[in-house]
Amino acid sequence: MPSHFFVGGIVPVMIRTRSPLGALALGVGLLVLAAAPGAGAQSAAPPAREAPSASSSLRVIAEQVARLFPVVQTDVIEVSGERVTLAAGRQQGVVPGIELIAYREGRELYHPTTKQLLGRTEETVGRMVVTEVADRYAVATLAPGAREAPRPGDKARVAAGRVKLAIVPLVSGVRARLVEAATYDLVQELERTGRFQVVFGEQVSVWLAERKIPAAEFVRGRGVREAQDRLKLSHMLAVHYTMAQGKAFMDLRVFSSVLEQPLLQQALFVPPSVRPAPTQQFSTGPGGEGAPVQRRSLLARLLSGNFEPNTYSAGASAIPLRSLAVFPFSVLSMDVAIGKDTVPRIVLTDGQRVFQYRLVGEKLEPEWTYSKLMVGSILGVQFADLDGDGVLDVVVNRQDAKLGMLSYILTTRAGRPAVLAEDLPLILLALDERGAGVAHEVWGQPMNAYTFFSRGAVTRYVLKDSDLVAAGQARPHDFFRLTGATFASLAPKDKAQRVLAFIDEQSRLVVAENGQEIWRSSAAVGRGLAQARLEIQQSRTAVDKFFRMEPIPLAVDLDGDGVQEIVVPVNDEEAGRLVVIFRGPTGLRTQVVASGSEGVVTGMGAVPGSDGGFPSLVMAVVKRSGLLGTSGDTQLIMTVPE
């Protein structure tokens, strides 16, 4: 049985998704996703599948939810204190609980040339919530935060655009595969109405875990308003899956951030038409005789757990692995990137030297070694293109216990290493903020004399005249440190911006959007071999303190769907394990897989497949030896297509 990486605190289950990842076992906890709250929900992007439409009962639920958000434009006809009477009622689709924006029209706007009337200026007055509805009129009250009360003659409307609706699946004792299937079908029906932009409120589960609020109490209203205010979710659909009379049961509540009571309460058994996708039988598995062998994505192969430890078999039942090289030293850091010549390159370090190789097919060809005698030790190497010439640069973090940071940047000229900048008193981290495929940005911070890393705000730097020049501040997250971080696109490019994934000081992987945390792992990840050393004076004695560098997580599209996954090593037991974080039909999911070799994974990268096929992973796996584990050798291994 493969290891599983659980997030959450209730009974872990195995999920089989209804996506192109079908029949993959996924370790998950749907109620509790991890630690601190964030502010922005992640856009739901269920993968396409061939299956019958959802049952009529889920369609009815979706239509009932859609009727809570009619497109209405009306006039304010009377104002008495906080009571506002509107000239639209039940006949116009108005229902209790809907929100309207009150606005005041101003002067007319005319085209300066044609003199055509273009419209009027508008001044927003504030939000209102409908509390009473008659046939031809309705009464609303001002929502919190309204600047002033509207006046008779003002206008009010519900926006015609899609309403952002956060869906929060909560689970108590129901099979995870069935929950995935039912939630997916419900999301499909909600999107079919054309009224909603459905997002997953993953941070709500984080918030519930922190405050130890049971799912049953949450759907009854405990903590709902606080969660919506804290996480800035105007509208939320909570779905609590439980067992009743031996059947899976759905308790649905629609909450608005401006009302104490839910807008809608419905309950139903999970319709019989909702069925989890059947388990796929592979050609080598039981019952697979005569079944055609289909080419699987790298993500599907990773999550199927079919690595064979310590072997490099190309058999059909295992993920084919190749050994690119064996080094008689420990590789402390490694990176992979592709420059303008489209040739994949690998850079690595043993702590004193920097090595760059070309990867031609499955063969490693040395390009250069930079081994200038210098004090301190190298903590990490990363590829970047800081001067925009298409030639890969190498960002090198070097540190000395007495002198501090002495980082430098290398490039390649005429096949030899050349120094672009040196003796930089900064901890550096190269990042691909824009999704260009190679890092064009570098973040930096001075070394803290007591804690080495500093939390929070960092400075962006650009390369200019053999030096790094500050180019503004970045505020990624309050607990962010300049180690073990990457940007990733965890939703289709037209629906979501890139998020920052980083390993915090508790060795938890954090996913943050716009500086706000949206997901956190509950188990430890990362833990590299490179360590910074500080000499700290305590009384009259100098004490050595060590600070571990984290391996850089890898953001890569493993299954060709345009959405990236995050792969990060787990080195707590030197078992060569990886965690894959990916988006399933109901949000972010994780699973631990074996790398195929025992040891510490100190670096990872990816190279694209031939003819647009699935990518291959490249990993540096260190097998330590000696009494203190200070020596060892490194295998550079690569996954290859089926």
Side-chain angles (χ1 to χ4, degrees):
M1 291 288 290
S3 304
H4 292 97
F5 179 76
F6 297 120
V7 285
I10 59 175
V11 180
V13 292
M14 299 290 288
I15 294 181
R16 298 190 183 275
T17 67
R18 308 187 75 184
S19 68
L21 314 183
L24 307 179
L26 313 181
V28 92
L30 282 172
L31 172 59
V32 183
L33 285 179
Q42 292 292 306
S43 294
R49 63 189 178 98
E50 295 182 3
S53 62
S55 70
S56 58
S57 55
L58 291 183
R59 187 174 302 115
V60 168
I61 293 292
E63 291 170 354
Q64 289 177 339
V65 177
R67 283 197 291 271
L68 298 174
F69 304 94
V71 178
V72 175
Q73 182 156 336
T74 185
D75 298 316
V76 175
I77 59 176
E78 184 180 273
V79 178
S80 178
E82 293 189 351
R83 287 173 57 88
V84 180
T85 304
L86 307 171
R90 194 174 295 110
Q91 293 182 5
Q92 290 74 36
V94 178
V95 294
I98 69 169
E99 289 184 49
L100 300 100
I101 301 297
Y103 63 97
R104 187 167 299 145
E105 291 186 336
R107 71 181 189 279
E108 294 180 337
L109 294 175
Y110 292 91
H111 193 283
T113 303
T114 65
K115 308 305 180 183
Q116 181 182 3
L117 178 63
L118 303 177
R120 290 177 176 271
T121 61
E122 293 181 358
E123 177 188 359
T124 300
V125 176
R127 292 188 303 160
M128 301 181 296
V129 182
V130 173
T131 56
E132 305 172 26
V133 179
D135 281 345
R136 301 178 63 182
Y137 72 91
V139 177
T141 58
L142 295 179
R147 294 191 308 171
E148 60 177 298
R151 300 195 294 255
D154 288 345
K155 308 280 187 184
R157 64 184 170 211
V158 175
R162 289 178 177 253
V163 177
K164 181 176 285 189
L165 180 66
I167 187 167
V168 182
L170 307 169
V171 184
S172 301
V174 180
R175 287 180 302 145
R177 287 179 57 215
L178 185 60
V179 171
E180 292 272 348
T183 304
Y184 177 84
D185 284 344
L186 178 58
V187 169
Q188 290 290 91
E189 293 300 329
L190 289 168
E191 292 185 337
R192 190 173 286 117
T193 66
R195 194 69 182 97
F196 301 108
Q197 176 194 352
V198 182
V199 300
F200 284 107
E202 293 162 332
Q203 68 273 48
V204 175
S205 297
V206 174
W207 188 87
L208 291 176
E210 284 186 329
R211 285 152 182 79
K212 300 180 180 179
I213 299 177
E217 295 185 20
F218 182 72
V219 296
R220 288 197 292 267
R222 179 186 169 190
V224 169
R225 285 292 299 277
E226 185 183 353
Q228 289 185 289
D229 291 344
R230 178 69 180 270
L231 305 176
K232 298 180 176 61
L233 302 176
S234 297
H235 303 101
M236 181 171 60
L237 171 58
V239 186
H240 186 203
Y241 291 90
T242 58
M243 295 299 295
Q245 301 176 16
K247 300 178 182 179
F249 191 73
M250 302 170 65
D251 186 359
L252 303 98
R253 311 286 173 97
V254 178
F255 295 101
S256 168
S257 61
V258 294
L259 287 179
E260 295 293 338
Q261 299 299 320
L263 300 180
L264 177 70
Q265 300 182 53
Q266 284 288 6
L268 71 158
F269 288 105
V270 173
S273 60
V274 176
R275 296 182 182 277
T279 301
Q280 178 181 348
Q281 295 293 340
F282 297 106
S283 60
T284 56
E289 296 79 0
V293 178
Q294 297 183 353
R295 188 182 183 195
R296 298 175 297 163
S297 72
L298 178 57
L299 180 58
R301 294 157 63 208
L302 284 172
L303 299 184
S304 65
N306 282 337
F307 275 118
E308 289 187 356
N310 302 312
T311 67
Y312 299 98
S313 168
S317 62
I319 295 180
L321 298 171
R322 295 289 184 271
S323 177
L324 296 177
V326 177
F327 300 103
F329 52 79
S330 295
V331 170
L332 301 185
S333 179
M334 184 201 76
D335 198 11
V336 180
I338 299 175
K340 67 178 180 180
D341 60 1
T342 70
V343 176
R345 284 178 168 81
I346 298 174
V347 63
L348 54 90
T349 182
D350 63 351
Q352 293 298 324
R353 298 166 292 177
V354 179
F355 306 86
Q356 183 168 299
Y357 297 87
R358 292 161 47 98
L359 182 59
V360 181
E362 298 173 18
K363 182 180 178 182
L364 209 59
E365 298 180 352
E367 279 197 313
W368 51 256
T369 300
Y370 188 78
S371 58
K372 180 180 177 181
L373 183 63
M374 56 185 67
V375 298
S377 61
I378 297 173
L379 303 179
V381 291
Q382 284 183 276
F383 275 128
D385 182 9
L386 301 181
D387 51 10
D389 62 356
V391 177
L392 293 176
D393 308 320
V394 180
V395 177
V396 183
N397 272 308
R398 178 166 62 102
Q399 186 258 352
D400 180 75
K402 296 183 181 297
L403 301 178
M405 296 303 301
L406 300 165
S407 301
Y408 56 96
I409 301 172
L410 303 174
T411 192
T412 302
R413 291 176 183 159
R416 300 176 63 84
V419 178
L420 290 178
E422 61 183 336
D423 293 337
L424 301 169
L426 299 168
I427 308 170
L428 300 175
L429 184 68
L431 291 164
D432 181 13
E433 291 188 70
R434 295 171 284 174
V438 64
H440 287 277
E441 297 81 23
V442 62
W443 291 4
Q445 271 184 340
M447 183 190 78
N448 187 297
Y450 298 95
T451 60
F452 187 70
F453 296 111
S454 297
R455 292 181 182 177
V458 295
T459 302
R460 289 186 172 93
Y461 287 91
V462 295
L463 186 64
K464 185 177 181 180
D465 298 331
S466 300
D467 197 5
L468 287 181
V469 179
Q473 290 289 308
R475 295 188 175 274
H477 187 276
D478 289 344
F479 297 107
F480 176 79
R481 305 173 304 151
L482 279 173
T483 182
T486 188
F487 277 93
S489 299
L490 298 184
K493 293 182 180 179
D494 59 341
K495 288 190 176 182
Q497 65 182 45
R498 290 166 67 77
V499 299
L500 178 66
F502 66 93
I503 302 170
D504 70 4
E505 56 192 339
Q506 280 78 43
S507 298
R508 302 301 192 262
L509 186 72
V510 177
V511 178
E513 184 176 14
N514 295 324
Q516 299 295 325
E517 183 173 315
I518 61 173
W519 185 88
R520 178 189 293 260
S521 68
S522 62
V525 300
R527 296 180 64 82
L529 293 183
Q531 296 185 84
R533 181 172 69 92
L534 298 183
E535 291 185 358
I536 299 177
Q537 291 291 328
Q538 293 185 355
S539 298
R540 297 181 179 180
T541 305
V543 178
D544 284 348
K545 286 194 175 181
F546 295 89
F547 301 86
R548 189 185 301 273
M549 303 295 290
E550 299 288 357
I552 304 296
L554 174 64
V556 58
D557 182 3
L558 294 172
D559 54 358
D561 63 353
V563 177
Q564 289 183 319
E565 288 74 38
I566 300 172
V567 186
V568 61
V570 182
N571 292 325
D572 55 344
E573 297 177 356
E574 301 194 16
R577 295 181 296 153
L578 311 172
V579 171
V580 182
I581 298 95
F582 61 97
R583 181 169 293 284
T586 57
L588 293 181
R589 298 289 175 260
T590 62
Q591 182 172 324
V592 167
V593 299
S595 69
S597 182
E598 296 287 332
V600 177
V601 181
T602 57
M604 299 186 62
V607 295
S610 58
D611 301 324
F614 300 118
S616 296
L617 297 185
V618 179
M619 294 167 280
V621 185
V622 177
K623 186 69 173 179
R624 295 195 290 179
S625 59
L627 182 62
L628 301 178
T630 55
S631 59
D633 55 22
T634 304
Q635 288 180 320
L636 210 61
I637 60 177
M638 176 181 178
T639 66
V640 294
E642 289 182 310

